[in-house]
Amino acid sequence: MTITRRVFLRNGALAVVGTAAVPSFLTRAALGAIESGTRNKRLVVIFQRGAADGLNIVVPHGEPQYYAMRPSINIPRKAGLDLDGFFALHPSLSSFQSLWQQRHLAIVHAAGSPDTTRSHFDAQDFMESGTPGIKSTEDGWLNRCLHATPDSEKKSAFRAIALGPSLPRILSGSEPAVAMNNINDFTIGGRSQKTSPLANTFEAMYDHSLDSLMHGSGQETFDAVKMLKSADPAKYKPAPGADYPRGRFGDSLRQLAQLVKADLGVQVAFADISGWDHHVNEGSTEGQIANVLREFSQSLGAFWTDLGDLGEDTVIVTMSEFGRTARENGSRGTDHGHANVMFVLGGPVKGGRVYGRWPGLDQSQLYEGRDLALTTDFRQVLGEAVSRHMGNKNLAAVFPGFDNQAGKFLRYLG
């Protein structure tokens, strides 16, 4: 079969004008996909760093106690975007409304880590390692997720991607993964002192690998990097309607969409967004939380639109280290809490529904008399995506010490 450059321009992935040849590994990947009819499935994890206020993100406006506990920062009933008569989205999440109506977006409330820490550092570490309460875990659950996923023997250099300056805890481990701030940093200048830091990272990944298959694909990795560079990433045009907001998070998702649409074998990806630690002047329909929610939802909405039909094979899960106190504090903010809210977006998602058991906000129902109680372990949410979407059935290895059997899944995936 003859493969031309047109094969690699799906959804406008790369404008390879002037590229004389398609790298051999892309040719083989395209041939394999055409002959087998297989489709690459992807899992994207988004971390809201700083402990997002789940009660003001997905508002339980059917709870009278919510308004009593938050006299100055509550989201008024008329302002929220009603979901089911009991819950409503914060108005800054309007970009999510159509996704909810199209049933591509599901919500899991009262979810999070069972560990009781209120330390940002420890809680983030536990959620990224996937072993709450255990600090000795050396690798991250998203890296372990790759161990037994189908087609893992392909070992694409772009298989595991983190958008950021360094590799996050969640992707650390034995499976190769790459962190980058900007696609334009993918500059291969040969093996000299002038070679970019990222190029050196790639060379180290392959030259020192004990896996002969990985070692043998090193030159093909450099070919792929050169192809991205020759495509002039700065001129990438998202799909119509994919309007990314300015800022680091929007830029990260824009570049991730480009990598996914380039068919370079992305299976798992990670990005984060900070700015959720609102102890003072959190705001309500306007203010700090409204601003970060707007950036958060518009970026994810644009990413979903940009993926086009590739969204059918993509699941996006969001999480934060813990929630905020049920009551506002004396500074019109909220302090470190416990349970939170998670969003799940994707083609296979059975959306338009709030999953999990709602624990209530009566004083007797609060955790330690101050926080939303936890009813769904975050590993239960992630485990379903790992097993049912990514095809890794060995959840005991991905989340050691957690009883994550299929019978306990929320069934948010079709």
Side-chain angles (χ1 to χ4, degrees):
M1 178 182 293
T2 300
I3 295 294
T4 67
R5 283 174 290 176
R6 185 173 302 171
V7 174
F8 307 103
L9 294 176
R10 182 183 183 188
N11 295 330
L14 291 174
V16 285
V17 177
T19 301
V22 175
S24 58
F25 90 100
L26 283 177
T27 303
R28 291 201 304 272
L31 278 171
I34 292 171
E35 293 173 356
S36 67
T38 59
R39 294 166 66 98
N40 186 41
K41 293 186 177 181
R42 290 163 295 276
L43 175 61
V44 179
V45 180
I46 306 297
F47 208 113
Q48 297 164 268
R49 297 198 186 277
D53 184 4
L55 290 176
N56 268 14
I57 295 174
V58 177
V59 184
H61 65 72
E63 283 269 12
Q65 294 86 351
Y66 165 78
Y67 294 95
M69 291 174 169
R70 299 180 167 214
S72 68
I73 66 167
N74 70 71
I75 309 303
R77 288 185 178 89
K78 293 182 179 180
L81 306 174
D82 183 65
L83 298 175
D84 57 9
F86 186 87
F87 292 107
L89 292 174
H90 188 286
S92 288
L93 292 174
S94 58
S95 295
F96 281 178
Q97 202 168 19
S98 62
L99 299 175
W100 173 268
Q101 294 168 348
Q102 296 164 8
R103 301 189 182 279
H104 289 308
L105 177 69
I107 295 168
V108 186
H109 222 318
S113 172
D115 190 82
T116 60
T117 183
R118 299 183 190 276
S119 160
H120 289 296
F121 178 82
D122 287 344
Q124 290 181 26
D125 184 77
F126 292 153
M127 292 193 81
E128 292 191 57
S129 69
T131 54
I134 302 175
K135 295 186 177 182
S136 59
T137 305
E138 295 182 353
D139 51 7
W141 71 262
L142 193 55
N143 190 287
R144 296 194 298 272
C145 160
L146 291 172
H147 290 345
T149 54
D151 300 323
S152 61
E153 69 277 3
K154 289 182 180 179
K155 304 291 186 181
S156 166
F158 297 95
R159 186 174 174 231
I161 294 287
L163 281 301
S166 60
L167 200 67
R169 180 82 163 88
I170 198 169
L171 274 175
S172 63
S174 60
E175 296 290 337
V178 173
M180 64 177 185
N181 263 329
N182 195 300
I183 290 178
N184 286 302
D185 292 337
F186 275 67
T187 303
I188 299 300
R191 299 169 187 246
S192 68
Q193 293 182 348
K194 295 183 179 180
T195 304
S196 71
L198 186 59
N200 289 328
T201 299
F202 274 118
E203 291 185 4
M205 180 192 300
Y206 289 101
D207 287 351
H208 300 292
S209 173
L210 298 179
D211 187 323
S212 60
L213 181 61
M214 282 288 289
H215 185 82
S217 65
Q219 183 56 49
E220 295 176 341
T221 299
F222 299 130
D223 287 343
V225 170
K226 289 177 181 177
M227 185 177 181
L228 279 177
K229 188 66 178 177
S230 68
D232 196 353
K235 294 183 179 180
Y236 170 71
K237 293 183 179 180
D243 299 320
Y244 292 95
R246 292 183 178 180
R248 175 180 172 270
F249 186 57
D251 288 344
S252 293
L253 294 190
R254 181 178 183 271
Q255 293 182 89
L256 178 56
Q258 182 176 3
L259 288 171
V260 170
K261 291 164 70 176
D263 288 332
L264 295 180
V266 176
Q267 286 186 281
V268 299
F270 177 84
D272 57 10
I273 175 173
S274 58
W276 302 92
D277 197 16
H278 301 143
H279 290 276
V280 179
N281 295 327
E282 178 175 313
S284 172
T285 58
E286 300 292 337
Q288 292 185 84
I289 192 170
N291 293 337
V292 69
L293 281 174
R294 190 174 298 111
E295 178 185 6
F296 173 72
S297 63
Q298 288 180 359
S299 298
L300 282 169
F303 178 66
W304 174 255
T305 299
D306 206 1
L307 288 182
D309 63 341
L310 293 174
E312 293 303 311
D313 304 307
T314 303
V315 170
I316 305 161
V317 183
T318 73
M319 60 186 189
S320 190
E321 61 262 41
F322 43 70
R324 316 293 296 189
T325 48
R327 296 178 181 83
E328 67 176 80
N329 60 28
S331 301
R332 295 187 176 183
T334 50
D335 298 318
H336 298 176
H338 195 43
N340 210 327
V341 66
M342 299 176 71
F343 291 104
V344 187
L345 167 64
V349 173
K350 295 191 292 186
R353 176 181 169 187
V354 179
Y355 290 82
R357 180 176 64 83
W358 178 249
L361 292 178
D362 286 329
Q363 182 62 35
S364 62
Q365 297 170 321
L366 296 177
Y367 172 73
E368 295 186 343
R370 53 174 276 173
D371 302 324
L372 180 67
L374 182 80
T375 60
T376 300
D377 193 298
F378 76 104
R379 293 168 291 182
Q380 192 175 348
V381 181
L382 300 173
E384 184 167 348
V386 170
S387 176
R388 300 193 66 203
H389 179 62
M390 298 300 292
N392 185 340
K393 307 298 181 182
N394 189 9
L395 292 179
V398 181
F399 300 104
F402 181 60
D403 183 13
N404 203 353
Q405 301 303 314
K408 295 185 178 181
F409 287 161
L410 299 174
R411 297 292 172 180
Y412 65 79
L413 290 175

